[in-house]
C-alpha cells in the first residue's frame, strides 16, 4: 500500500490560550506499530483524539485510513478501534452487556457470537455477569482492549493501554498486537514504558505539543547522539560529584551502577575518565538507552 | 452513508433501561417524588385552612353568646380550644401561637344586642400568615349577621341589620366548595413532571460526560439522533408511570373529579413530556457535569412553579410576570389538565394551550440539536 494509514500535517489544538498540540506531522504506514511518547501533558491524548474525530483541530489537515480527519470522522470511527486512557466503559453494565453494546453499535452481523468469542478469548466467560466497575484495574484495561477489537478495525489507537497491567499480561498484549500487525492492522500506541517503546517499529516523541524526534528506535538514538558511560560500584558521593563536571548532562543510578551521559562525547569521556582514575573505579562506554535519549531531548527543550 | 439505524437505537435504549434498573435509588425517587409531593400538597398544604385554634374570653355568658360560639364552630373555620378567664391569658396564647384567634365578648354583649346598641365583638387575629386567617375572618363577619339575626325576632326584628341594597351572592364554580386540592392536585402532575424529567435527562448525558464514558460513546459510529432518542424514550415511560400514580391518587384519595377524557389527557401529557425532555436535553448539552445540570434544572423550575399559576393565581400577577408565564410549558399544561379534569374540556378547548407547547418543543429541540456536540471540544 502506498497510501499511509495516517497522514496528517500541521495539526494544532489550543485549549484557551494554551497551545497543546503545535504543528504535528505524522505519517504511519500500514501494518506498523507506531509508538507515541512524551512526558505528561505533552499532548498525546489530544493528538489521538483529533485523529479519530473526537476533537476538531484548530489548524492542519490530513487523512486517516484515506478519510479526511476534518470532514469524514463518521467513516473513520467505523474503521478505528480507540482505547481511551481512562477506563470509559460503563461500570454499571456487566462485562457481557458492555461488549454486546459495542457489538450492536458497530452493527456487527452476529453480535452474540462475537461477544461469546471475545469473552472466551479474554477468559472472562465465567465472569460475564460481573459489573465492569468491579473488575480490577488491569482487567478493566484488558476488557477495554478486547472491546475495541471486536469490530475488526483497520487502525487501533491505544492510549496507554498497558498502564497498571501485570508483566505477563503485558507481554501477551504485545504478542497479540504484533500478530495483528502482521495481518495488516496498524497500531498507534502511546506509552510511558521504554521496553514497550523498543518493541515498536517506529516512534514519535513529542513534548509541549511539538514533535521532537521521529524514526525507528535506532534512528532516534542516533539523532539524539548521546554517549553514555557506566561506572561500576560507584561510591555514594559519585552522583553529586559528577553532576557539575563539564560534558555531564545526566547522572542516573541503577542499583550500584551509575549511568553518566552527555551530548558532547569527548568532554564527557575526559570528565568520566578523570573521575574514575581519581577514585579508582571502573568506567566503561555503553550504549545509550531510549530513556536516556528522551530525557536528553526533554532537557534540550527546556520548560515552555 | 451512516444512516439512522434501528439496531443502534435499540442498543442505546437497552443500555439506558439496564442502567435505570440498576440505579434503584433514582428509580425509587422518580416514583416516590410524585407520591410525597401529592401527600404534602394534598394533605399538608392548604390555602383555605379550617379548624383553626381559637380562644374565647367571655365576660358574661348568655344564650346569645352561646349561639354565636356554636355558629363559629359550625362554620368549620374555628375550633374553640380554650376559654381563658382573662384577656391577658388569652393574649399569651395568641402570642405563643397556640391559637390564631382571640375572640373577646364584652360584658353586656347580649343586653346591648337586644337594645340595638350594636355591641362590639373584638377579635384579635394572628395575621402573620394572612392566607391562613383571611378566609376565616371573612367567614366570621358573615356568620355574625346570620347567627344573631335569628335572635332578633318578634318585637326585636326591626333591630336586625338592614340588608344592603344589593345582595351579593358568590358562586364558586367547578369547585363549588372551594376545595384547594381540586386545584392543586392536578397541577402537581405538571410540577412533578417538570422537575423529574428535566433533571433526569439533564443528568443522563452529564453523567456520561462526568464519568468519561461520553468519550467512548462519541468514538463509536453512533448518530446524535440515536443517542438522543435512546436516552429520551425511557423517560417517557417513566413519565407515564408518574402520571398514572398521580391520577390514581387524585381520583381515589382526594376524590378529584375526572370528568373529561382521560385519553385526551394522556395525549396532552405526551406533548408536555416531550417539551420537558427537550429542555433537559438542551441543558445537558450546556452542562459540563451533573452539578451544573441540577443547577440549571432549578433555574428553570423556580419560575415554572411561581409564574405558571400553580402557586399563585395567574390572572393576579402583573403583566410582565404573565408574559414570562406564557413562555413556560407548565403554564399551558396546568390549563390543559385543569380544563380536562375539572371542566371536561375537549380537544378544541385545549388546543389554544397545546400549540404553544408544540412550538416551544420545536424551538428547544432546534437549539439542542445545534448545541449537541459530536466532539469533546
Ligand atoms: N478538554 C481540555 N480542556 C483544557 N485543557 C485540556 C483539555 N484536554 C487536555 N488539556 C490540556 O492539554 C494538555 C495536554 O493534555 P493531553 O491529555 O493531551 O496530554 P498527554 O500527553 O496525554 O498526557 P499524559 O501522558 O499525562 O496522558 C494538558 O496540559 C492538559 O491540561
Ligand atoms: Mg494522555
Amino acid at each position: 500500500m502506498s497510501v499511509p494509514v495516517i497522514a496528517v500535517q500541521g495539526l494544532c489544538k489550543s485549549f484557551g490560550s494554551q497551545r497543546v498540540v503545535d504543528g504535528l506531522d505524522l505519517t504511519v504506514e500500514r501494518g506498523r506499530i507506531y509508538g507515541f511518547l512524551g512526558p505528561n501533558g505533552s499532548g498525546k491524548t489530544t493528538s489521538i483524539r483529533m485523529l479519530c474525530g473526537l476533537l476538531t483541530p484548530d489548524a492542519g489537515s490530513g487523512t486517516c485510513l484515506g478519510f479526511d480527519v476534518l470532514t469524514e470522522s463518521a467513516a473513520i470511527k467505523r474503521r478505528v478501534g480507540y482505547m481511551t486512557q481512562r477506563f470509559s466503559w460503563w461500570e454499571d453494565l456487566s462485562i457481557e452487556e458492555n461488549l454486546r453494546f459495542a457489538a450492536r453499535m458497530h452493527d456487527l452481523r452476529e453480535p452474540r457470537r462475537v461477544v461469546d468469542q471475545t469473552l472466551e478469548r479474554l477468559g472472562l466467560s465465567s465472569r460475564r455477569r460481573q459489573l465492569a466497575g468491579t473488575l480490577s484495574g488491569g482487567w478493566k484495561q484488558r476488557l477495554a482492549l478486547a472491546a475495541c477489537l471486536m469490530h475488526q478495525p483497520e487502525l487501533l489507537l491505544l492510549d496507554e493501554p498497558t498502564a497498571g497491567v501485570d508483566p505477563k499480561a503485558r507481554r501477551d498484549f504485545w504478542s497479540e498486537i504484533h500478530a495483528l500487525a502482521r495481518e495488516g492492522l496498524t497500531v498507534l500506541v502511546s506509552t510511558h514504558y521504554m521496553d514497550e517503546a523498543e518493541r515498536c517499529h517506529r516512534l514519535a516523541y513529542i513534548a509541549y505539543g511539538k514533535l521532537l524526534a521521529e524514526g525507528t528506535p535506532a534512528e532516534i538514538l542516533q539523532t539524539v547522539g548521546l554517549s553514555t558511560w557506566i561506572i561500576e560500584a560507584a561510591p555514594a558521593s559519585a552522583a553529586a560529584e559528577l553532576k557539575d563536571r563539564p560534558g555531564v548532562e545526566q547522572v542516573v543510578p541503577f542499583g550500584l551502577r551509575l549511568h553518566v551521559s552527555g551530548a558532547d562525547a569527548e568532554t564527557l569521556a575526559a570528565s568520566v575518565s578523570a573521575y574514575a582514575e581519581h577514585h579508582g573505579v571502573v568506567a566503561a562506554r555503553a550504549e545509550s538507552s531510549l530513556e536516556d535519549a528522551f530525557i536528553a531531548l526533554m532537557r534540550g527543550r527546556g520548560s515552555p | 452513508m451512516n444512516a439512522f439505524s434501528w439496531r443502534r437505537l435499540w442498543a442505546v435504549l437497552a443500555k439506558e433501561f439496564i442502567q435505570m434498573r440498576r440505579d434503584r435509588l433514582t428509580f425509587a425517587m422518580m416514583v416516590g417524588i410524585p407520591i410525597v409531593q401529592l401527600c404534602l400538597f394534598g394533605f399538608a398544604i392548604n390555602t383555605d385552612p379550617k379548624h383553626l385554634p381559637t380562644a374565647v374570653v367571655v365576660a358574661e355568658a348568655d344564650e346569645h353568646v352561646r349561639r354565636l360560639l356554636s355558629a363559629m364552630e359550625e362554620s368549620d373555620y374555628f375550633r374553640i380550644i380554650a376559654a381563658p378567664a382573662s384577656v391577658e391569658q388569652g393574649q399569651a396564647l395568641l402570642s405563643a401561637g397556640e391559637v390564631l384567634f382571640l375572640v373577646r365578648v364584652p360584658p353586656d354583649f347580649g343586653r346591648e344586642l337586644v337594645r340595638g346598641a350594636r355591641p362590639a365583638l373584638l377579635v384579635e387575629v394572628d395575621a402573620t400568615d394572612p392566607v391562613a386567617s383571611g378566609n376565616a375572618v371573612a367567614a366570621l363577619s358573615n356568620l355574625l349577621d346570620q347567627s344573631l339575626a335569628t335572635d332578633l325576632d318578634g318585637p326585636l326584628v326591626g333591630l336586625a341589620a338592614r340588608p344592603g341594597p344589593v345582595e351579593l351572592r358568590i358562586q364558586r364554580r367547578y369547585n363549588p366548595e372551594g376545595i384547594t386540592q381540586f386545584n392543586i392536585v392536578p397541577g402537581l402532575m405538571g410540577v412533578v413532571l417538570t422537575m423529574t424529567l428535566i433533571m433526569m435527562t439533564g443528568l443522563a448525558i452529564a453523567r456520561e460526560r462526568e464519568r468519561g464514558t461520553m468519550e467512548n460513546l462519541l468514538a463509536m459510529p453512533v448518530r446524535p439522533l440515536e443517542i438522543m432518542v435512546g436516552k429520551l424514550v425511557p423517560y417517557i415511560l417513566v413519565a407515564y408511570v408518574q402520571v398514572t400514580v398521580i391520577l390514581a391518587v387524585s381520583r381515589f384519595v382526594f376524590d378529584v373529579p375526572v370528568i373529561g377524557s382521560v385519553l385526551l389527557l394522556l395525549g396532552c401529557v405526551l406533548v408536555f413530556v416531550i417539551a420537558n425532555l427537550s429542555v433537559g436535553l438542551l441543558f445537558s448539552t450546556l452542562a459540563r457535569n451533573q452539578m451544573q445540570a441540577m443547577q440549571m434544572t432549578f433555574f428553570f423550575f423556580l419560575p415554572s412553579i411561581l409564574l405558571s399559576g400553580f402557586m399563585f393565581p395567574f390572572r393576579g400577577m402583573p403583566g410582565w410576570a404573565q408574559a414570562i408565564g406564557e413562555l413556560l410549558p407548565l403554564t399551558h399544561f396546568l390549563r390543559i389538565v385543569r380544563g380536562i379534569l375539572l371542566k371536561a374540556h375537549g380537544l378544541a378547548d385545549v388546543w389554544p394551550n397545546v400549540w404553544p407547547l408544540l412550538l416551544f418543543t420545536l424551538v428547544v429541540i432546534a437549539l439542542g440539536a445545534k448545541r449537541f456536540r459530536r466532539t469533546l471540544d
Side-chain angles (χ1 to χ4, degrees):
Chain A
M1 278 299 281
S2 57
V3 181
V5 172
I6 299 176
V8 293
Q9 301 87 33
L11 285 191
C12 291
K13 182 76 191 176
S14 302
F15 292 111
S17 61
Q18 187 195 6
R19 179 154 282 206
V20 172
V21 176
D22 193 0
L24 179 74
D25 301 329
L26 212 57
T27 307
V28 181
E29 302 291 340
R30 182 170 300 275
R32 289 292 156 76
I33 300 175
Y34 198 91
F36 206 35
L37 292 98
N40 291 135
S42 54
K44 300 183 296 294
T45 301
T46 308
S47 305
I48 294 178
R49 283 176 176 166
M50 283 193 282
L51 290 177
C52 64
L54 282 175
L55 286 175
T56 322
D58 298 334
S61 62
T63 58
C64 197
L65 294 164
F67 298 99
D68 193 313
V69 287
L70 292 172
T71 55
E72 295 176 300
S73 51
I76 296 175
K77 283 175 186 175
R78 255 175 292 151
R79 294 166 176 83
V80 165
Y82 171 42
M83 176 174 169
T84 56
Q85 178 171 4
R86 173 182 168 191
F87 184 70
S88 62
W89 292 86
W90 288 268
E91 304 210 335
D92 50 352
L93 295 185
S94 71
I95 296 167
E96 185 179 16
E97 285 158 355
N98 268 304
L99 292 177
R100 195 180 303 152
F101 180 68
R104 285 179 180 158
M105 279 291 114
H106 286 284
D107 253 333
L108 297 190
R109 209 154 289 143
E110 295 171 278
R112 196 172 303 252
R113 193 181 54 80
V114 177
V115 168
D116 284 342
Q117 271 178 1
T118 307
L119 283 169
E120 199 65 46
R121 204 159 40 86
L122 269 172
L124 282 177
S125 295
S126 58
R127 300 206 281 171
R128 55 170 64 197
R129 280 184 227 296
Q130 191 177 338
L131 293 189
T134 63
L135 284 171
S136 75
W139 276 104
K140 279 184 185 168
Q141 295 292 90
R142 293 163 77 164
L143 168 65
L145 178 70
C148 71
L149 278 174
M150 268 195 314
H151 61 288
Q152 299 184 317
E154 294 167 50
L155 169 66
L156 263 187
L157 300 173
L158 307 176
D159 200 354
E160 298 191 27
T162 55
V165 174
D166 67 55
K168 164 84 167 55
R170 240 166 55 151
R171 183 165 295 177
D172 293 347
F173 162 82
W174 276 94
S175 307
E176 184 173 355
I177 292 292
H178 272 279
L180 289 167
R182 274 194 296 276
E183 290 167 24
L185 178 74
T186 312
V187 183
L188 178 75
V189 52
S190 82
T191 178
H192 291 296
Y193 296 120
M194 289 306 130
D195 60 318
E196 294 190 347
E198 279 157 9
R199 303 186 72 160
C200 296
H201 297 124
R202 282 183 90 82
L203 299 174
Y205 185 85
I206 65 169
Y208 313 116
K210 285 203 166 69
L211 188 66
L212 295 190
E214 205 271 344
T216 63
E219 280 169 3
I220 287 192
L221 282 175
Q222 207 173 358
T223 357
V224 177
L226 202 66
S227 62
T228 299
W229 290 72
I230 293 178
I231 299 176
E232 302 279 352
S237 62
E241 256 180 76
L242 274 163
K243 209 177 273 166
D244 300 323
R245 300 215 172 190
V248 178
E249 286 170 13
Q250 298 176 41
V251 183
V252 190
F254 285 88
L256 288 174
R257 289 170 158 191
L258 214 53
H259 289 213
V260 186
S261 34
D264 187 344
E266 276 170 36
T267 326
L268 179 74
S271 295
V272 173
S273 325
Y275 176 86
E277 239 164 78
H278 188 252
H279 289 267
V281 291
V282 183
R285 258 200 106 107
E287 292 219 347
S288 299
S289 68
L290 269 175
E291 186 168 292
D292 297 331
F294 290 142
I295 290 171
L297 273 174
M298 237 171 97
R299 291 160 60 100
R301 295 288 309 173
S303 304
Chain B
M1 201 173 79
N2 192 19
F4 182 87
S5 151
W6 288 101
R7 276 168 72 161
R8 282 199 301 261
L9 173 61
W10 173 245
V12 178
L13 265 175
K15 163 181 161 296
E16 293 300 320
F17 271 119
I18 294 171
Q19 288 184 303
M20 193 190 278
R21 208 185 62 213
R22 300 245 160 91
D23 192 358
R24 295 255 170 81
L25 185 69
T26 309
F27 195 74
M29 289 269 288
M30 285 186 291
V31 181
I33 285 176
I35 295 179
V36 170
Q37 294 223 358
L38 272 172
C39 291
L40 285 180
F41 281 92
F43 287 123
I45 299 173
N46 192 343
T47 52
D48 186 19
K50 304 243 168 113
H51 308 292
L52 301 172
T54 305
V56 193
V57 180
V58 182
E60 212 175 305
D62 59 19
E63 56 172 311
H64 303 293
V65 174
R66 274 192 297 275
R67 200 188 305 269
L68 173 67
L69 295 185
S70 71
M72 280 174 66
E73 288 211 282
E74 272 161 27
S75 77
D76 274 357
Y77 279 107
F78 304 95
R79 183 162 48 96
I80 298 172
I81 60 162
S86 71
V87 173
E88 286 72 31
Q89 285 172 354
Q91 281 168 338
L93 289 175
L94 196 63
S95 148
E98 289 182 24
V99 296
L100 286 182
F101 300 93
L102 175 62
V103 180
R104 289 159 61 177
V105 186
D108 295 342
F109 179 80
R111 245 164 297 144
E112 292 196 9
L113 181 77
V114 175
R115 265 201 292 125
R118 304 212 52 185
L121 183 73
L122 186 62
V123 180
E124 291 179 41
V125 184
D126 178 352
T128 44
D129 183 357
V131 175
S133 48
N135 285 350
V137 171
L140 186 62
S141 70
N142 227 7
L143 119 202
L144 273 181
D145 295 347
Q146 285 174 9
S147 75
L148 297 179
T150 53
D151 289 11
L152 305 173
D153 52 358
L156 303 172
V157 76
L159 294 175
R162 234 159 258 133
V166 176
E167 186 189 6
L168 183 63
R169 228 184 241 172
I170 298 168
Q171 199 177 21
R172 284 166 156 170
R173 296 182 60 195
Y174 309 124
N175 183 5
E177 288 119 283
I179 300 173
T180 25
Q181 279 89 334
F182 284 12
N183 187 36
I184 284 191
V185 171
L188 261 185
M189 188 188 297
V191 171
V192 167
L193 290 176
T194 302
M195 189 165 95
T196 50
L197 293 180
I198 296 184
M199 189 160 71
M200 292 306 155
T201 32
L203 290 183
I205 291 181
R207 185 163 45 223
E208 302 261 9
R209 202 163 275 137
E210 203 171 299
R211 293 184 183 168
T213 49
M214 198 63 178
E215 185 174 6
N216 199 346
L217 198 56
L218 291 178
M220 293 178 177
V222 60
R223 292 177 62 85
L225 185 66
E226 292 157 2
I227 299 182
M228 292 212 232
V229 175
K231 289 219 168 255
L232 295 193
V233 168
Y235 293 107
I236 294 181
L237 297 185
V238 169
Y240 274 104
V241 172
Q242 292 181 327
V243 167
T244 311
V245 169
I246 294 173
L247 273 183
V249 174
S250 309
R251 183 73 199 86
F252 300 111
V253 179
F254 295 107
D255 293 320
V256 175
V258 180
I259 58 176
S261 155
V262 174
L263 216 61
L264 177 62
L265 179 65
L266 294 183
C268 292
V269 163
L270 185 65
V271 178
F272 179 64
V273 163
I274 294 178
N276 279 310
L277 292 178
S278 59
V279 174
L281 210 61
L282 176 63
F283 285 173
S284 73
T285 62
L286 299 170
R288 290 245 155 226
N289 52 45
Q290 298 192 69
M291 192 63 210
Q292 286 182 358
M294 287 283 260
Q295 285 166 340
M296 284 191 242
T297 304
F298 280 99
F299 175 77
F300 186 80
F301 186 60
L302 223 59
S304 286
I305 204 168
L306 295 178
L307 302 182
S308 62
F310 174 72
M311 281 285 200
F312 311 111
F314 191 79
R315 295 297 165 208
M317 298 192 303
W320 60 267
Q322 290 195 23
I324 298 176
E326 292 286 356
L327 296 177
L328 300 168
L330 184 58
T331 309
H332 299 282
F333 186 66
L334 288 184
R335 294 179 194 154
I336 294 173
V337 181
R338 288 171 181 163
I340 295 177
L341 288 187
L342 304 177
K343 304 179 190 172
H345 275 176
L347 182 58
D349 302 306
V350 297
W351 178 247
N353 285 306
V354 171
W355 71 257
L357 287 181
L358 293 172
L359 184 65
F360 177 91
T361 311
L362 213 66
V363 171
V364 174
I365 285 191
L367 284 176
K370 214 175 141 172
R371 284 281 321 173
F372 189 89
R373 290 181 287 246
R374 285 159 187 259
T375 62
L376 294 168
D377 287 281

